[in-house]
Amino acid sequence: MSDFRLKVFCCVARNLSYTKAAQELFISQPAITKHVKELESQYQTRLFERLGNKIELTASGRLLLEHGEAILEAYNKLEFEMSLLRNEYSGELRLGASTTIAQYVLPPLLAKFIEKFPHVTVSMFSGNSREVEQALQEHRIDLALLEGVLRLPSLKYRHFLDDELVVVMRSKSKLELPDEISLEEFQRMPLVLREVGSGTLDVIETSLAKHNIRLSSLKVLLYLGGTESIKGFLEETDCLGIVSIRSISNELATGKLRVIDVPELVMNREFCFARLQGQDGGLPTIFVNFATHEKKLL
């Protein structure tokens, strides 16, 4: 029902790229250009200025983006509420999830959700916590699932699951550490950690700060952009890593990795839902309620 040209324009405006918009909407770049030109003709104004290889919104473009996003959001809410009159849920749900949640928590929930709500189209953006929060603030997703301890005032958060970070190493490591080591011993060990911007690293830094320990004082060999990368690195290297306990169930069962307890280093955290302040209802709320009810599966 909504004007597809408006959806195209908002996509280009958020990405500031015709190419990225074409990839996101699965249409050709000439088609993207055509829709934008039609809007410029309709409103008799330029919406973008080209600066070399980049584009920027004009004042008219910024005004249209502000109203366009509100209109598209209203259309989505209308479609959802009309579907309720038929006792069925339909529409588009755009999820965003930090890497750990996307890999180890969401898959079984999504399988159950699309089985129960076959008329809902679900898409998911995955990145570290900062990237997902940015996508939410830029209206590229409707609902975020995040890890970590930081909170932004523009977002409202709701607890979902508890999680624990643990210190791990490969079982056949030449380090030959006991099952429990002191915090002082831990500080002397080589480490591989998640990248800056990840919720995992936020929790590690917060836990270390309670003991007046800075991340910069640790022997970090490198930072990697995902838990799977860390696990793969650990299986080939004599060092320690810190990952979610939820991410290593298979490796613990097969004996590839083992947990090293550091009693003084407690790294508990929560996984939570996040939405923009002032937004309620719709498919995001349906998914939150569904996931909360089904989390016993996890």
Side-chain angles (χ1 to χ4, degrees), residues 203-217:
V203 175
I204 295 170
E205 288 188 283
T206 301
S207 300
L208 290 170
K210 294 177 181 178
H211 300 278
N212 297 314
I213 299 172
R214 293 186 177 182
L215 196 61
S216 58
S217 68

Side-chain angles (χ1 to χ4, degrees), residues 67-79:
H67 289 282
E69 288 185 329
I71 290 169
L72 292 176
E73 187 174 328
Y75 270 126
N76 285 335
K77 187 175 182 180
L78 172 61
E79 289 180 7

